[in-house]
Each structure stands twice: as C-alpha cells, then as structure tokens.
Amino acid sequence: MTTLTPPVTKQHAVLDSPYGPLTLVATDGVLSALYMTDQRHRPPEETFGVPDPEPFGEVNRQLTAYFAGERTIFDLPLDLHGTPFQRSVWAELLKIPYGETRTYGELAEELGKPGASRAVGLANGKNPVGIIVPCHRVVGASGSLTGYGGGLDRKQRLLAFESGGVRSDGVQALF
C-alpha cells in the first residue's frame, strides 16, 4: 500500500528589526526558520518558498513586543527540523530565562551528557529559529562570548538588551 504525503508549502517574509532584516520562513503555515543577514548556516533563499506575510502576523507581533522590551517569552508554534539531539538542545535553549545565560557545558549537563559541550555547541549553531529559540543566551565556560550564527556583535547587543542595559535600538537605557 502506498501512502501519499501531502506537498509541503513554504512561505517567507522579511521583517525589519533593530538587528537588521530578519527572514521568517513558515512550513505549512508554522514558523520553521528565522534567519539574519549574513547568518552562518543560512540556506539558499530559493528554499524559503514564496513571499507571503500572512503566516507571520503573530510572529511579527511577538517579535515587535520583544524588541520594545514588552515581551520576554515567545508563545509560538514552531516546526523545527533537526536530529533528535539537535531538537533536545533547542528544547533546552527555550528553558533559559530572559536576561540569563548558560554555558555549553551547563546545557550538556542538563541533557545528561556532561561530556557533550562541543556537540551542544554544534547543535546550538544549527538552531534554525534564532532569537525566538534563544541560542544567543549560550556563552563559553568562562562567560566569554563565543560563536553566534548571526555574528558576535548581534549576540553582544541581544545580551545587553536582555540584561536591561541597552535598548534594542542601541541607546543606553535610563532605568
């Protein structure tokens, strides 16, 4: 017996943000990727599907509220494709509270794989939905900023923004 799999529909839209344009990709209407310009591991644009802002209304609202400092947790359905290990790392990233960081080693410990900090780093780097799945909140063992697919400058700015020291537009906050 042959089972037919329905075709996959992909759409994308570009959202302006304080960190540059963000390309949002939906698979069958569910957010499956958020890419920054010049992002490492960014697939070719022809894989993003047709331009269509319709599936991104709630994503846009939540990202806008995040950048305005009005939202600290995202509540969006995600369609993340990766290996079981990658998906387990991404699930741990979602547990890191706003304004806090974890090391690769701490994440490996949380996963019950204390020797897997390098593998955690590789999975972290393949996160397809940056900012929403907060891979920017992971730092080196010494607390140093280490690799970030969107660039270390963006990582530093996101962490400063979340710590309350700097607004998302780069202006020193007065609070």
Side-chain angles (χ1 to χ4, degrees), residues 9-69:
T9 303
K10 282 192 154 190
Q11 302 108 331
H12 76 277
V14 177
L15 171 68
D16 287 327
S17 85
Y19 304 95
L22 303 175
T23 300
L24 307 172
V25 179
T27 303
D28 293 328
V30 178
L31 184 67
S32 57
L34 182 156
Y35 298 113
M36 300 172 201
T37 53
D38 302 323
Q39 181 168 335
R40 195 175 343 136
H41 306 298
R42 181 183 169 120
E45 294 204 16
E46 56 268 15
T47 66
F48 296 166
V50 297
D52 182 0
E54 186 174 333
F56 305 106
E58 185 59 23
V59 177
N60 190 352
R61 278 187 285 284
Q62 289 192 30
L63 282 168
T64 298
Y66 168 81
F67 294 133

Side-chain angles (χ1 to χ4, degrees), residues 29-135:
V30 178
L31 184 67
S32 57
L34 182 156
Y35 298 113
M36 300 172 201
T37 53
D38 302 323
Q39 181 168 335
R40 195 175 343 136
H41 306 298
R42 181 183 169 120
E45 294 204 16
E46 56 268 15
T47 66
F48 296 166
V50 297
D52 182 0
E54 186 174 333
F56 305 106
E58 185 59 23
V59 177
N60 190 352
R61 278 187 285 284
Q62 289 192 30
L63 282 168
T64 298
Y66 168 81
F67 294 133
E70 300 164 357
R71 174 176 281 278
T72 60
I73 298 172
F74 293 96
D75 182 21
L76 297 164
L78 300 173
D79 183 17
L80 304 179
H81 296 273
T83 67
F85 181 75
Q86 287 172 330
R87 289 194 315 267
S88 69
V89 170
W90 302 335
E92 284 300 315
L93 295 176
L94 289 168
K95 296 176 185 177
I96 304 172
Y98 180 91
E100 294 184 21
T101 59
R102 298 291 183 273
T103 67
Y104 297 101
E106 288 171 331
L107 287 176
E109 289 278 344
E110 289 296 318
L111 290 166
K113 300 181 182 293
S117 60
R118 291 179 64 84
V120 165
L122 291 172
N124 192 54
K126 295 277 185 154
N127 171 20
V129 185
I131 299 174
I132 292 169
V133 177
C135 53

Side-chain angles (χ1 to χ4, degrees), residues 164-167 171-175:
V166 180
R167 297 188 330 216
V171 175
Q172 183 71 32
L174 301 172
F175 50 130

